[in-house]
């Protein structure tokens, strides 16, 4: 690879797109500021910028000196910052001779997306309904393609990011706020990729973002945990362990997980997953330090992110839920991450119903649409026949006994 090709490869590096976008804005400013603010959304971006700039990067952002960045470019590639960015901007995707369709297709091609089945319908939609001004189209196309390349457009997501962090890849953390041009065209591409109708309200937009592995923000969604045996010696891990020593659970956000070390737990660590916070609270009160996660409803994006991390570490997940159709749906969701049922068989359900009758406990009627239980088909059939819901609280003694014995 010659120096010119090397420069072009670096200019197209996804982790550096925020740097190049911020540098372009600084150079285009009439005042030519000596430094500019750069968002560093994740460890990949921090490492890539640090290697290029010549010093380690920490935290969520930093200030970059234009002159020092120019010196780093000249030392590494033999060309200055302005020259490299001008050469890249004058590429075939943005020449005066390129038509609107070619601009969009070239932007997708630069990110390896031009041959996706949704690409041509998306291009046609942008040109006809996207409401993108001609002079803005090259920038919108380039930014949208970079964002789409970082999203999950196939199957279910395993890696999660916040919308602000995703937008930060282009240098503007507000780029994907609702109502912006880039947000509008990106969400249309996402709907085409996942073969569903374009969202028409906030709830549908949020669901589609989440389908693509994008959380609305980095702090609202949390996952409730207890006694995670974190293996790291870093301050973050020590802080979570300290909460356990104090008898306190930890609500982890996406930002928490971003700050966490690459490995959380040792392989084969057994993690119990419950649905009701009452179970986790009881374990804390009785001094049971078995690692636990609590769903408190459908898994949040933060919970999904944590489950993915734990499975990657080689942990084993054991899931219990209420014996109602919402609980069965939650069981399906966590089983996508390899979780194993824990006291979730037809026999467990029958015993719980019989025990409730013996203790003269009134069980709620089982309502809603039945959900299959492929791990034990007899369970769904028995639940439909008995038509009674059993909450986790009624199984608390058995669940706590399992946790004491270590599952």
């Amino acid at each position: 690879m010659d120096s010119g090709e090397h420069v072009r490869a670096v200019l197209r590096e996804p982790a550096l797109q925020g740097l190049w976008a911020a540098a372009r804005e600084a150079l285009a400013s009439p005042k030519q500021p000596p430094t500019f603010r750069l968002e560093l959304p994740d460890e990949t971006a921090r490492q890539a910028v640090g290697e290029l700039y010549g010093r380690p990067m920490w935290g969520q952002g930093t200030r970059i000196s234009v002159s020092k960045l120019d010196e780093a470019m000249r030392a590494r590639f033999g060309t200055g910052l302005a020259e490299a960015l001008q050469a890249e901007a004058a590429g075939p995707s943005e020449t005066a001779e390129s038509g609107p369709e070619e601009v969009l297709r070239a932007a997708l091609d630069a990110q390896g997306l031009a041959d996706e089945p949704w690409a041509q319908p998306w291009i046609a939609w942008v040109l006809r309904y996207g409401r993108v001004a001609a002079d803005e189209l090259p920038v919108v196309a380039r930014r949208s393609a970079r964002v789409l390349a970082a999203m999950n457009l196939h199957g279910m997501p395993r890696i999660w990011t916040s919308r602000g962090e995703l937008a930060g890849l282009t240098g503007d953390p507000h780029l994907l706020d609702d109502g912006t041009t880039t947000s509008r065209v990106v969400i249309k591409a996402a709907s085409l990729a996942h073969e569903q109708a374009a969202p028409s309200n906030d709830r549908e937009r949020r669901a589609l973002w989440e389908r693509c592995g994008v959380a609305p923000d980095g702090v609202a969604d949390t996952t409730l945990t207890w006694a995670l045996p974190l293996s790291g010696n870093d301050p973050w891990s020590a802080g979570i362990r300290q909460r356990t020593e104090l008898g306190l659970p930890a609500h982890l956000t996406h930002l928490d997980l971003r700050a966490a070390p690459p490995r959380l737990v040792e392989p084969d660590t057994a993690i119990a997953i419950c649905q009701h916070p009452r179970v986790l609270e009881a374990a804390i009160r009785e001094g049971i330090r078995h690692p636990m996660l609590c769903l408190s409803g459908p898994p949040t994006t933060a919970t999904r992110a944590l489950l993915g991390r734990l499975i990657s570490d080689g942990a084993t997940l054991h899931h219990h839920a209420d014996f109602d159709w919402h609980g069965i749906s939650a069981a399906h969701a966590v089983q996508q991450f390899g979780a194993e049922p824990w006291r979730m068989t037809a026999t467990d359900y029958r015993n719980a119903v019989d025990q409730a009758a013996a203790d003269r406990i009134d069980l709620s009627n089982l309502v809603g649409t039945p959900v299959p239980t492929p791990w034990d088909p007899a369970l769904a059939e028995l639940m439909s026949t008995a038509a009674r819901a059993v909450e986790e609280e009624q199984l608390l003694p058995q669940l706590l006994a399992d946790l004491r014995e270590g599952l």
Side-chain angles (χ1 to χ4, degrees):
M1 181 183 297
D2 61 32
S3 60
E5 291 176 343
H6 197 180
V7 172
R8 287 189 291 273
V10 171
L11 290 172
R12 293 172 182 172
E13 174 65 37
L16 292 173
Q17 294 312 307
L19 174 66
W20 305 134
R24 288 189 189 92
E25 292 182 9
L27 292 176
S29 173
K31 295 184 179 180
Q32 290 277 313
T35 66
F36 57 85
R37 172 72 179 177
L38 177 64
E39 300 295 327
L40 297 169
D42 52 38
E43 182 58 33
T44 301
R46 288 189 283 271
Q47 182 175 350
V49 173
E51 290 178 354
L52 178 66
Y53 194 61
R55 69 168 172 82
M57 297 289 162
W58 311 99
Q60 297 295 311
T62 188
R63 296 207 68 83
I64 297 294
S65 165
V66 175
S67 61
K68 288 183 178 179
L69 180 58
D70 179 77
E71 292 173 3
M73 293 287 289
R74 293 183 186 278
R76 184 167 177 179
F77 307 115
T79 186
L81 174 64
E83 294 88 342
L85 294 179
Q86 288 170 1
E88 191 264 351
S93 64
E94 296 183 18
T95 59
E97 294 77 14
S98 296
E101 182 170 348
E102 288 73 21
V103 168
L104 289 164
R105 186 173 299 283
L108 292 178
D109 187 54
Q111 301 296 329
L113 300 173
D115 294 329
E116 293 291 325
W118 52 265
Q120 186 56 43
W122 178 72
I123 290 173
W125 181 89
V126 172
L127 296 178
R128 188 169 183 179
Y129 304 110
R131 307 194 308 276
V132 183
D135 59 340
E136 296 178 354
L137 184 62
V139 173
V140 171
R142 185 173 61 243
R143 288 181 167 182
S144 299
R146 288 169 182 162
V147 168
L148 289 166
M151 293 169 61
N152 178 74
L153 300 178
H154 302 280
M156 298 303 295
R158 289 286 182 174
I159 300 174
W160 295 82
T161 186
S162 74
R163 204 182 331 171
E165 290 171 330
L166 182 64
L169 295 177
T170 68
D172 182 357
H174 300 290
L175 186 72
L176 298 177
D177 290 355
D178 286 338
T180 64
T181 299
T182 303
S183 176
R184 184 172 65 251
V185 298
V186 164
I187 206 70
K188 179 60 180 181
S191 67
L192 291 169
H194 286 291
E195 299 181 340
Q196 62 184 65
S200 59
N201 54 50
D202 289 341
R203 179 182 60 80
E204 293 177 354
R205 274 191 293 275
R206 174 172 177 140
L208 183 54
W209 281 119
E210 291 181 355
R211 179 77 183 273
C212 297
V214 182
D217 54 66
V219 296
D221 281 349
T222 66
T223 181
L224 176 60
T225 69
W226 163 244
L228 289 182
L230 300 173
S231 58
N233 294 320
D234 58 286
W236 186 91
S237 300
I240 302 300
R241 288 195 296 267
Q242 181 63 29
R243 292 190 64 85
T244 301
E245 293 300 320
L246 294 171
L248 298 174
H251 290 264
L252 302 182
T253 67
H254 282 285
L255 288 186
D256 284 305
L257 296 176
R258 290 286 181 189
R263 173 174 289 281
L264 296 179
V265 299
E266 296 297 329
D268 298 322
T269 299
I271 310 288
I273 305 171
C274 63
Q275 183 175 351
H276 205 290
R278 177 79 174 82
V279 179
L280 186 142
E281 180 189 26
I284 295 175
R285 189 185 64 248
E286 298 195 16
I288 302 172
R289 290 197 177 185
H290 193 289
M292 295 186 68
L293 272 67
C294 182
L295 300 183
S296 303
T300 64
T301 57
T303 298
R304 292 174 183 270
L306 179 56
L307 291 174
R309 294 280 299 273
L310 292 172
I311 285 295
S312 296
D313 289 347
T316 58
L317 309 179
H318 305 268
H319 176 250
H320 189 274
D322 292 337
F323 282 114
D324 60 20
W325 301 128
H326 291 297
I328 299 302
S329 295
H332 278 278
V334 297
Q335 284 175 21
Q336 293 177 0
F337 293 88
E340 302 173 0
W342 165 33
R343 288 192 179 271
M344 291 290 291
T345 67
T347 299
D348 295 316
Y349 174 72
R350 181 184 297 106
N351 291 340
V353 172
D354 291 344
Q355 188 63 50
D359 294 339
R360 299 183 181 275
I361 296 175
D362 293 330
L363 298 177
S364 302
N365 291 330
L366 183 61
V367 297
T369 303
V371 179
T373 53
W375 63 91
D376 185 358
L379 173 59
E381 181 179 350
L382 183 59
M383 288 175 62
S384 297
T385 302
R388 290 292 183 268
V390 180
E391 295 188 358
E392 278 188 315
E393 284 188 87
Q394 295 170 234
L395 299 173
L396 203 51
Q398 299 98 308
L399 298 179
L400 293 177
D402 288 346
L403 294 173
R404 287 192 190 93
E405 295 173 4
L407 291 181

